[in-house]
Amino acid sequence: MTLPLPELLTRARLLAGPEVGDAVAKALERAAGRPVERGGPADGGPYAYVGAALPEALRGDGLLWFHSVNAGTDALLGAGPWPAGALLTRTVGRMGERIAQYVLAWVLAECQSVPEFAAQHARGEWRRIPSELVAGQTAVVHGTGRIGSAVAGLLRSCGIRTVGVARTPREVLPGFDAMARSDEPVAARWVVAALPLTGATAGYFGADRFAAMGGATFVNVGRGATVDLGALEAALHAGTVGRAVLDVLPDEPAAPGDPCWRLPRTVITSHSAGITADDDVVTDFAACLRELTAGRIPALAVDTARGY
């Protein structure tokens, strides 16, 4: 990762992609103290770019810094070799908070039998269904970055024991009660996936991992391609996965006839757990700019070799 020199940034052009709305562009102009250009040519660099995708025409030596309007950068990095020396940062904003609340909502809905009561209501049936408390139960979170830590922290505040999963042993991170290796079985009521998509995580949740879940509910708020849907379907039929909540899928959007809609005891939502707000883009861009101007690597910088 090459850190753009502060003096280069002061004279860099600021370009924005078509997905950046006019209100956000105006806010970016105020934060950067220079006008935003819409998809300008690569000549006349150096330049910084804010958007979701990097146009081929802008992959030249003039690119100093790309700020992604998204938290995930797998599609961006998968579009081609990343320009040598160009810094990549991403937008996280309050996404961790939003996704944590999404996970907690489904956890509480399950413990309060919301799906069963909804089905009972549709039948016009009155029958008491026991509820269960979340306190004292265990959630395993795969992915211990900003989003996974936020999920763990909110669950922990409700008395849920949280275990973070890392590939190598490490100290207990904030928000977690304990850490476990990726190959270490942990008895849990919920298994939450908050992984980025990289070469190491593609298909991470396969037959062996699902077989070891012991009937836990599986919630994926990370990336769809980290899950082998065929293996998940088999685990749901076998009962080694009790339920599934999938906010992300390997191929999106899912067509009405997609087999994913027929997965038993599964709810699919439309990649909406952590929708990025305009304020998130502006706030994180401004924070990165302050760090870069001070000669520091921003906390939201992406290691393009690792993919996160």
Side-chain angles (χ1 to χ4, degrees):
M1 179 187 305
T2 301
L3 188 64
L5 297 175
E7 56 267 27
L8 281 177
L9 278 174
T10 59
R11 57 185 179 86
R13 298 161 61 200
L14 179 58
L15 312 181
E19 59 277 359
V20 176
D22 290 340
V24 174
K26 290 295 184 185
L28 293 174
E29 288 183 342
R30 291 192 292 271
R34 73 202 74 179
V36 167
E37 302 175 38
R38 291 292 188 172
D43 58 315
Y47 56 91
Y49 191 92
V50 179
L54 179 60
E56 283 297 324
L58 301 177
R59 288 180 174 269
D61 295 336
L63 178 63
L64 292 179
W65 169 34
F66 184 102
H67 182 74
S68 174
V69 298
N70 298 315
T73 56
D74 48 280
L76 183 64
L77 293 174
W82 190 250
L87 177 71
L88 173 61
T89 58
R90 64 194 183 110
T91 298
V92 175
R94 300 181 70 178
M95 184 175 295
E97 182 180 352
R98 294 187 182 96
I99 291 178
Q101 290 184 13
Y102 171 97
V103 173
L104 179 61
W106 286 104
V107 164
L108 293 176
E110 185 170 87
C111 286
Q112 294 299 319
S113 301
V114 170
E116 291 79 8
F117 276 118
Q120 192 169 274
H121 174 90
R123 297 191 300 268
E125 178 184 348
W126 177 284
R127 179 172 57 87
R128 286 183 174 174
I129 302 174
S131 62
E132 56 180 312
L133 297 175
V134 298
Q137 304 206 56
T138 298
V140 172
V141 182
H142 293 256
T144 55
R146 287 171 174 259
I147 292 172
S149 295
V151 169
L154 186 58
L155 295 181
R156 193 182 185 204
S157 71
C158 295
I160 297 173
R161 177 175 176 264
T162 57
V163 180
V165 175
R167 282 185 293 175
T168 55
R170 58 194 306 183
E171 62 183 16
V172 178
L173 298 173
F176 295 95
D177 293 295
M179 302 295 293
R181 300 185 310 274
S182 59
D183 59 350
E184 181 180 349
V186 179
R189 181 71 170 75
W190 301 278
V191 175
V192 181
L195 293 170
L197 179 59
T198 68
T201 63
Y204 176 90
F205 291 98
D208 291 346
R209 211 172 294 279
F210 284 130
M213 288 189 185
T217 294
F218 176 67
V219 183
N220 190 6
V221 290
R223 281 292 181 261
T226 63
V227 174
D228 179 336
L229 285 184
L232 174 59
E233 181 178 16
L236 285 162
H237 283 296
T240 54
V241 173
R243 298 175 189 258
V245 178
L246 308 177
D247 187 52
V248 289
L249 295 169
D251 297 305
E252 298 175 355
D258 193 297
C260 68
W261 299 114
R262 298 191 293 274
L263 291 171
R265 302 185 308 284
T266 296
V267 175
I268 292 171
T269 57
S270 53
H271 205 142
S272 54
I275 295 175
T276 303
D278 288 349
D279 286 348
D280 294 334
V281 176
V282 177
T283 298
D284 284 358
F285 170 85
C288 290
L289 181 59
R290 286 194 297 272
E291 292 293 292
L292 289 169
T293 302
R296 296 188 294 266
I297 295 177
L300 293 169
V302 175
D303 183 334
T304 56
R306 299 173 69 184
Y308 59 92

